[in-house]
């Protein structure tokens, strides 16, 4: 007796085994893509803005730049939550920070500053740099992650064909095994859809974030008020809420500044909850 003409329960048991094998193959292929090195991380440690982009995308990276500029006295918060330049650019500022500082030479609200073309271009350049270094998933890696879901889609399609073959055969379709096939088809489709999106940071990127978090914890044990660099790193690896928990005399000033730059709507640290691409803006790939 062929598989296709077998009884409902027998077919269901074999189909469940097939779907399980498809899941194992998909996860194994995904693990290979995940562990496959990409780019050239080099010996240079990622900076705070690099880590912020890995951890929270465009908004957390720009917020980290704003924190550094504010603590260094390069920008100031004026009336009506308007930001403007009040000092020179810090030495060694990354390109994204340079672009934000240049934009705020004309007093502006934070949302308008983020919409600036040069700020977006600097963020796109940062995105490409991190992808080249293998810290951020490149378009090629994302496509390979999508390819790994093919076994699940094939298993789902096989089940759909089986269900279509039962149309007109009420006796066979009424069996409980048919409902089981429908459940397995739905499970394959849902799992395949969940696995379609690639992790935002790569394995090297996550390792860099963990190392940075350890450095921040070590620095915090020494106590004292965090300087500009320490606060930037804390925001980069812990998220925007770090501004609201700043210590001692700067807490009120940081809280007011945090409100002006939209801390409460910054999508930070989603990578710790889900392994998917989470940013609400990604530069167009060329």
């Amino acid at each position: 007796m062929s598989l296709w003409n077998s009884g409902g329960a027998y077919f269901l048991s074999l189909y469940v085994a097939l779907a399980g094998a498809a899941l194992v193959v998909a996860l194994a292929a995904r693990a290979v893509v995940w562990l496959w090195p990409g780019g050239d991380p080099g010996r240079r440690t990622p900076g705070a803005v690099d880590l912020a982009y890995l951890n929270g995308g465009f908004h957390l990276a720009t917020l980290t730049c704003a924190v550094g500029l504010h603590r260094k006295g390069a920008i100031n918060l004026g009336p009506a939550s308007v930001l403007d330049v009040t000092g020179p650019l810090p030495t060694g500022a990354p390109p994204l920070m340079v672009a934000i500082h240049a934009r705020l030479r004309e007093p502006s609200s934070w949302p308008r500053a983020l919409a600036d073309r040069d700020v977006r271009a600097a963020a796109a350049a940062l995105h490409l740099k991190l992808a080249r270094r293998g810290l951020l998933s490149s378009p090629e890696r994302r496509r390979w992650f999508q390819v790994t879901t093919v076994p699940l889609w094939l298993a789902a399609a096989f089940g759909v064909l089986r269900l279509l073959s039962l149309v007109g055969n009420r006796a066979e379709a009424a069996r409980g095994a048919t409902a089981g096939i429908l459940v397995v088809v739905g499970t394959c489709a849902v799992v395949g859809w969940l696995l379609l999106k690639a992790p935002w940071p790569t394995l090297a990127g996550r390792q860099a974030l963990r190392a940075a978090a350890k450095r921040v914890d070590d620095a915090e044990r020494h106590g004292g008020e965090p300087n500009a660099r320490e606060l930037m790193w804390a925001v980069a690896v812990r998220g925007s809420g770090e501004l609201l928990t700043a210590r001692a005399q700067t807490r009120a000033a940081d809280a007011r500044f945090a409100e002006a730059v939209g801390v409460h709507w910054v999508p930070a640290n989603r990578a710790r909850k889900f392994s998917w691409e989470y940013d609400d803006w990604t530069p167009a790939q060329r």
Side-chain angles (χ1 to χ4, degrees):
M1 181 174 60
S2 67
L3 172 63
W4 199 256
N5 295 322
S6 60
Y10 181 70
F11 182 91
L12 177 60
S13 63
L14 293 178
Y15 182 50
V16 169
L18 174 66
L23 178 60
V24 170
V25 170
L27 292 178
R30 189 177 179 87
V32 170
V33 177
W34 172 248
L35 295 173
W36 193 267
D40 180 19
R43 296 183 179 180
R44 183 181 178 184
T45 302
V49 177
D50 298 337
L51 293 168
Y53 195 88
L54 289 174
N55 200 26
F58 173 71
H59 287 291
L60 188 57
T62 51
L63 175 64
T64 301
C65 291
V67 167
L69 291 170
H70 182 244
R71 277 298 186 93
K72 288 286 188 179
I75 63 173
N76 186 45
L77 178 62
S81 297
V82 171
L83 297 163
D84 62 347
V85 169
T86 53
L89 192 69
T91 304
L96 183 57
M97 185 180 288
V98 173
I100 292 173
H101 186 267
R103 173 62 183 84
L104 293 178
R105 289 172 185 166
E106 176 186 347
S108 169
S109 66
W110 185 240
R112 289 184 61 186
L114 295 187
D116 182 74
R117 181 175 59 183
D118 292 337
V119 172
R120 295 272 168 155
L126 174 60
H127 182 103
L128 294 175
K129 182 191 79 170
L130 294 174
R132 284 195 302 268
R133 293 184 61 185
L135 300 173
L136 190 67
S137 291
S138 64
E140 293 77 14
R141 186 185 289 265
R142 291 176 189 167
R143 283 193 289 270
W144 277 111
F145 272 112
Q146 293 173 347
V147 170
T148 64
T149 63
V150 168
L152 291 168
W153 297 118
L154 291 176
F158 184 74
V160 169
L161 289 176
R162 172 64 173 181
L163 293 173
L164 291 176
S165 72
L166 299 178
V167 174
N169 188 347
R170 293 184 178 180
E172 189 69 25
R175 292 187 177 185
T178 302
I181 294 172
L182 186 60
V183 169
V184 176
V185 168
T187 301
C188 288
V190 169
V191 174
W193 179 79
L194 291 176
L195 295 179
L196 267 179
K197 289 190 175 181
W200 172 268
T202 63
L203 180 61
R206 288 183 181 273
Q207 289 173 342
L209 284 170
R210 285 196 295 268
K214 185 177 184 302
R215 288 196 296 270
V216 169
D217 291 341
D218 292 341
E220 201 170 72
R221 292 193 187 97
H222 293 86
E225 186 67 19
N227 57 31
R229 182 177 180 277
E230 290 171 345
L231 186 57
M232 282 181 65
W233 280 78
V235 170
V237 301
R238 293 180 179 171
S240 56
E242 189 69 14
L243 283 180
L244 303 179
T245 58
R247 288 164 276 172
Q249 68 269 21
T250 61
R251 178 176 298 178
D254 281 334
R256 181 171 174 265
F257 175 75
E259 183 179 356
V261 295
V263 158
H264 299 288
W265 51 261
V266 171
N269 288 333
R270 290 189 191 172
R272 298 184 183 278
K273 299 176 183 177
F274 301 105
S275 296
W276 308 328
E277 182 178 344
Y278 50 81
D279 197 24
D280 61 351
W281 174 79
T282 304
Q285 300 300 326
R286 298 178 181 177

